[in-house]
Amino acid sequence: MGKMHLINVYSLSIIFSVTFLFIVIEMVRKNKIQERYSLLWIFMSIILIVLSSSPYFINTLADLLDIVNPPSLLFLFGLVYLLIYNLHITAVISKQAEKITRLAQELALLKQQKGNREKNV
Amino acid sequence: MKILTIIPAYNEEKSITSVIANVRRYVPESDILVVNDGSSDNTALYAAAANAMIINLPFNLGIGGAMQTGYMFARDNNYDIAIQVDGDGQHNPSDIQKLVKPVIDNLTDMAIGSRYISRTSYRSSYLRRIGMIFFSALVAFLTGNKVKDTTSGFRVVNRNIINYFAKNYPTDYPEVDVLVKLHKKGFRIMEIPVEMNRRQNGKSSITPFRSVYYMIKVSISILIDAIRPADSQ
């Protein structure tokens, strides 16, 4: 093992994930994110905090998976997570787009009906 | 028999007046509905001046969302037949009766006005023809239906399809997609040769790059459609 610097990928990772968790909770508290969309982010930050808290977890995991450089497991983990979360967000957007379309259609139909009624009065 | 002509229009102020006049001339028994898809020009004004019914969408939904609004209107007002004509004047309203007749006679559920089925004077670019042949082959492969003009927006449908479209209409690439969907639901589709005019005004939005992109998008979309359960949207 090389010498351990005070600032290394693990400590940076801890600082980052704690800050991140704090920001997420703060945003939920201020109603900027709905609870249901915050859950995955909260889980993500907790897992990151655990993984970066001690080289033990990450080293053991890396060993099991035959990964030579343990910190790259952190990156892999982050990347896969973002991929999955983006897919989730795309699904949410699609659902919303569909709802917005339906709203616009219903609104336009109602306005037409209303205009018609006023013409006939 | 209540008949409705639905004209989706996005910035068609130059052609909408004559399209409405022509529909009225050749299909006097039909009510006319213009679905103004968030136009930024005076399409709504011209349509109102021509005495058509008009639905103004609050913003641009795209052709799929606009057409579906027309079909929702047709369903809610109990129309028996719906005619779909583009707002740019490329369809010839003098052909509408040819499409309406087989639907009224219950020979088919949907009639499509086709540029390619026999020799008509319509000439199109190479790229466009390649695209058409490709889609045609894809639809034939997926449905066994030999539809030549898969992207034609000149269509007449009966009440069953009106009800179906009011609930299920693809938002993104509707013309080709719909053929696969209707086939799955067991609807009958018939193609009838018509004359098509060149666009009266405005340029087609299709460039070579866009049309290749369009082909890929539509293909993926209908391939996924083919493996999707028939009832889900």
Side-chain angles (χ1 to χ4, degrees):
Chain A
M1 278 289 274
K3 27 173 193 172
M4 287 286 264
H5 295 279
L6 199 59
I7 295 176
N8 56 23
V9 69
Y10 298 105
S11 61
L12 279 178
S13 199
I14 291 179
I15 295 169
F16 176 78
S17 9
V18 171
T19 318
F20 192 77
L21 180 61
F22 176 75
I23 292 173
V24 171
I25 292 173
E26 199 50 22
M27 285 178 86
V28 178
R29 200 175 67 81
K30 289 186 175 155
N31 292 322
K32 286 185 178 160
I33 311 181
Q34 286 191 357
E35 281 83 350
R36 65 173 122 167
Y37 298 123
S38 69
L39 281 183
L40 280 171
W41 284 127
I42 291 173
F43 289 148
M44 159 82 165
S45 354
I46 291 173
I47 293 172
L48 264 184
I49 291 171
V50 172
L51 281 183
S52 23
S53 62
S54 151
Y56 171 75
F57 297 108
I58 203 81
N59 285 342
T60 319
L61 259 176
D63 226 32
L64 278 173
L65 296 169
D66 275 342
I67 292 170
V68 181
N69 179 26
S72 56
L73 194 60
L74 279 180
F75 292 108
L76 177 70
F77 177 74
L79 200 69
V80 169
Y81 191 87
L82 285 182
L83 213 61
I84 294 171
Y85 198 80
N86 264 334
L87 191 62
H88 167 69
I89 290 297
T90 311
V92 171
I93 292 175
S94 302
K95 194 81 215 161
Q96 286 183 348
E98 201 186 307
K99 286 180 182 169
I100 292 169
T101 300
R102 211 62 71 232
L103 270 178
Q105 291 173 325
E106 295 286 352
L107 172 74
L109 285 163
L110 276 174
K111 271 169 80 179
Q112 198 275 341
Q113 231 176 55
K114 182 165 167 274
N116 230 5
R117 211 172 300 141
E118 277 162 11
K119 226 187 286 169
N120 291 337
V121 166
Chain B
M1 183 86 38
K2 277 180 82 180
I3 302 179
L4 177 70
T5 300
I6 304 167
I7 307 172
Y10 176 60
N11 291 344
E12 306 284 9
E13 65 177 10
K14 298 209 176 78
S15 52
I16 194 77
T17 308
S18 71
V19 172
I20 293 170
N22 276 326
V23 170
R24 193 160 282 139
R25 178 163 154 224
Y26 290 107
V27 204
E29 68 271 33
S30 157
D31 292 335
I32 299 174
L33 172 72
V34 173
V35 182
N36 175 26
D37 191 10
S39 299
S40 54
D41 67 0
N42 290 318
T43 300
L45 231 81
Y46 283 84
N51 253 327
M53 293 185 285
I54 175 155
I55 289 183
N56 288 302
L57 291 168
F59 43 81
N60 183 263
L61 287 184
I63 181 70
M67 269 324 299
Q68 188 176 35
T69 312
Y71 285 116
M72 290 164 91
F73 179 89
R75 176 198 58 190
D76 296 346
N77 294 283
N78 296 312
Y79 282 96
D80 301 294
I81 305 273
I83 301 163
Q84 173 181 338
V85 180
D86 281 357
D88 61 10
Q90 66 168 316
H91 303 143
N92 234 327
S94 60
D95 286 320
I96 293 180
Q97 297 291 1
K98 277 203 283 188
L99 301 188
V100 172
K101 190 155 191 321
V103 178
I104 288 183
D105 293 345
N106 197 23
L107 295 173
T108 183
D109 298 305
M110 172 194 257
I112 302 176
S114 168
R115 284 160 278 199
Y116 301 97
I117 205 164
S118 65
R119 297 177 64 87
T120 61
S121 56
Y122 183 83
R123 303 286 299 161
S124 51
S125 74
Y126 262 113
L127 203 66
R128 194 178 170 97
R129 252 177 293 175
I130 291 169
M132 296 306 93
I133 291 167
F134 172 77
F135 281 138
S136 186
L138 192 57
V139 169
F141 170 71
L142 291 173
T143 69
N145 261 345
K146 293 205 167 53
V147 177
K148 287 217 175 90
D149 197 356
T150 51
T151 59
S152 164
F154 194 13
R155 300 176 171 194
V156 175
V157 304
N158 65 11
R159 191 196 277 257
N160 292 338
I161 294 193
I162 291 175
N163 288 334
Y164 177 72
F165 279 171
K167 285 206 207 86
N168 303 281
Y169 203 76
T171 22
D172 289 337
Y173 325 107
E175 286 88 2
V176 191
D177 215 321
V178 144
L179 297 175
V180 180
K181 281 205 165 78
L182 289 181
H183 170 78
K184 271 187 131 169
K185 295 294 281 184
F187 288 113
R188 297 163 297 168
I189 298 170
M190 183 188 274
E191 232 183 341
I192 289 160
V194 295
E195 293 280 332
M196 295 265 176
N197 305 321
R198 291 205 165 275
R199 292 174 64 90
Q200 288 182 353
N201 290 291
K203 272 203 291 206
S204 167
S205 55
I206 296 170
T207 63
F209 175 74
R210 274 208 202 152
S211 48
V212 170
Y213 184 48
Y214 174 85
M215 264 172 70
I216 295 170
K217 282 193 300 191
V218 176
S219 305
I220 292 173
S221 166
I222 64 177
L223 282 170
I224 290 180
D225 218 35
I227 55 173
R228 178 184 279 167
D231 280 317
S232 74
Q233 158 87 337

